[in-house]
Amino acid sequence: MAMTGQTSYPSMSNHTKERVTMAKVTLENFYSNLIAQHEEREMRQQKLEKVMDQEGLADEEKRIRRSEHARKETEFLRLKRTRLGLEDFESLKVIGRGAFGEVRLVQKKDTGHVYAMKILRKADMLEKEQVGHIRAERDILVEADSLWVVKMFYSFQDKLNLYLIMEFLPGGDMMTLLMKKDTLSEEATQFYIAETVLAIDSIHQLGFIHRDIKPDNLLLDSRGHVKLSDFGLCTGLKRAHRTEFYKNLNHSLPNDLTSQNMNSKRKAETWKRNRRQLAFSTVGTPDYIAPEVFMQNGYNKLCDWWSLGVIMYEMLIGYPPFCSETPQETYRKVMNWRETLVFPPEVPISEKAKDLILRFCCEEEHRIGASGVEEIKSNPFFEGVDYDHIRERPAAIPINIRSIDDTSNFDEFPDSDILTPTATQVSNQAEADLKNKDWVFINYTYKRFEGLTARGAIPSYMKSGKR
């Protein structure tokens, strides 16, 4: 038998490949965490020095502040080593529900602070191949420490679920507000769109594209100001791309675009009837998605400005411009926006408002914002807006907060057993299988410095008595 001079090695088994990947991910995360922790500590120190200089503190006062800060850093390191789990929180009420889990109002037992706990079922994440997107959301919430983004304080996991502990924003979301109000005045619309422009720009500056800007993801804080949430579709990080969301929308498309020839009143009624169901389903609604995202030929941050134009239309008209009976028909209308984007004559709006909507919802290369956010901020529709102090002024629609656990701005949801899995659920996922799969969620745990060190600092709106 002739010798080839080459050594033959047996092929690597799938089990071995997975173990190698596990080891690689573990090591990468260990060292990236060390670097991130060091950088965050340096940034906190620099921020302290900058604030002290701005306040013009004397040397002795600076020494006391530095000493207090050092104690907080030491406490933070100690508390980071403690294990945080479900048992540390008391569940108060379900305030949101979606295709992969739910959101609960919870109270941390040792501090009394109230949070929104987002619970995601691991089995669903694995089955629907959502792991990358859920990781992206967690990573972005860690990095985007901004007044315009909902703040995440902790994240952790157990055998069945992932948990994100975020600030509770008692104002609810823009979808609920629009369903209560039907339409907003141009003054109110100017306020909310201006704030959302600043919020979107804040994540664009970090290098992220949200890709899912819609009223459901515009939350309102205790004073009625906007904060962005839900970064499950956000891109800009390695694992953040999500394309399967759009795969099935081009099937069974209607041939006749005029098949739903409804007046504005019927459109508004149909939209309100279907809106909540779409919000809680796996299908979602394509109403706010830019046409270039559907085409999958490449797109950039300008797709978020298209979505904002659709929201602005909905605020003023009462329903989005492409709303239809089915997601497939909506998709078709979005793709044919030149013919379908029309303004109903029975709902008059100003020419400035129309112009801005058409500048948002147009060809990508002509869209407002292509040359930077200043192009949007200087549009005539925003005349008189003080962007530098907009969060300090009263909101267009004030929020009345009555207690620490006021959920009057949220829908009512029945309780569920997501936190107390049945024997059937456990048996369907053998312990060995859970351990084998769990490595994909490595490094999910996170504790924010402010969350662990600001003990007892309950926000002012939470200090009123219980209902």
Side-chain angles (χ1 to χ4, degrees), residues 235-416:
T235 186
L237 299 176
K238 296 175 188 174
R239 299 181 294 271
H241 298 278
R242 179 180 179 183
T243 54
E244 66 272 14
F245 181 81
Y246 313 110
K247 282 182 180 174
N248 296 320
L249 286 172
N250 57 355
H251 296 169
S252 306
L253 294 175
N255 294 318
D256 182 9
L257 282 178
T258 62
S259 60
Q260 296 295 330
N261 187 19
M262 299 184 283
N263 61 28
S264 59
K265 184 179 180 182
R266 189 180 158 202
K267 275 188 179 179
E269 289 171 352
T270 301
W271 175 246
K272 289 185 77 170
R273 187 172 64 248
N274 296 335
R275 186 61 176 91
R276 292 198 190 280
Q277 184 179 350
L278 285 167
F280 305 143
S281 72
T282 54
V283 177
T285 172
D287 281 270
Y288 307 94
I289 299 171
E292 65 265 23
V293 177
F294 286 125
M295 293 169 69
Q296 297 185 31
N297 292 329
Y299 53 87
N300 55 33
K301 63 184 181 182
L302 294 177
C303 68
D304 287 340
W305 300 129
W306 169 286
S307 304
L308 188 57
V310 175
I311 294 173
M312 182 175 169
Y313 182 107
E314 182 178 354
M315 287 178 172
L316 294 169
I317 305 297
Y319 53 85
F322 312 110
C323 73
S324 303
E325 293 280 1
T326 66
Q328 289 79 16
E329 189 180 349
T330 299
Y331 164 86
R332 184 66 178 264
K333 286 187 176 181
V334 171
M335 299 309 292
N336 290 272
W337 60 269
R338 290 174 183 83
E339 289 76 41
T340 57
L341 179 52
V342 295
F343 295 90
E346 62 268 32
V347 188
I349 64 172
S350 71
E351 289 302 316
K352 285 182 181 179
K354 277 186 188 178
D355 176 72
L356 181 55
I357 291 170
L358 293 173
R359 294 290 314 281
F360 279 132
C361 299
C362 64
E363 297 90 348
E364 192 178 359
E365 58 269 24
H366 299 139
R367 196 170 300 157
I368 193 170
S371 61
V373 73
E374 291 303 322
E375 182 185 12
I376 301 174
K377 291 164 70 174
S378 61
N379 185 272
F381 180 75
F382 296 118
E383 185 179 358
V385 172
D386 181 2
Y387 290 100
D388 293 333
H389 303 96
I390 193 167
R391 282 198 84 93
E392 298 163 22
R393 62 164 279 190
I397 299 173
I399 303 294
N400 181 30
I401 304 302
R402 294 172 290 183
S403 66
I404 190 173
D405 57 354
D406 187 351
T407 58
S408 58
N409 294 303
F410 292 82
D411 288 336
E412 291 292 327
F413 294 91
D415 210 347
S416 74

Side-chain angles (χ1 to χ4, degrees), residues 86 89-107 114-121 134 137 141 150-152 154 161-170 172-173 216-217 219 229-231 279-280 407 409-419 444:
L86 198 56
F89 299 88
E90 179 186 354
S91 177
L92 302 178
K93 187 177 183 180
V94 178
I95 57 175
R97 184 160 289 143
F100 303 115
E102 65 185 33
V103 180
R104 287 179 174 244
L105 182 69
V106 298
Q107 189 166 29
V114 169
Y115 300 99
M117 174 189 280
K118 186 173 184 177
I119 307 161
L120 298 164
R121 291 180 291 265
I134 298 307
E137 178 177 30
L141 287 171
V150 61
K151 189 183 289 291
M152 182 185 75
Y154 314 103
N161 299 317
L162 301 172
Y163 304 91
L164 295 169
I165 308 297
M166 297 178 289
E167 63 178 321
F168 171 53
L169 300 178
D173 61 40
D216 322 41
N217 295 336
L219 303 187
S229 74
D230 203 339
F231 294 84
F280 305 143
T407 58
N409 294 303
F410 292 82
D411 288 336
E412 291 292 327
F413 294 91
D415 210 347
S416 74
D417 61 358
I418 193 171
L419 298 180
Y444 194 80

Side-chain angles (χ1 to χ4, degrees), residues 200-212:
I200 293 172
D201 182 56
S202 73
I203 63 166
H204 285 177
Q205 287 184 33
L206 292 172
F208 302 136
I209 308 170
H210 192 285
R211 295 203 298 176
D212 199 22

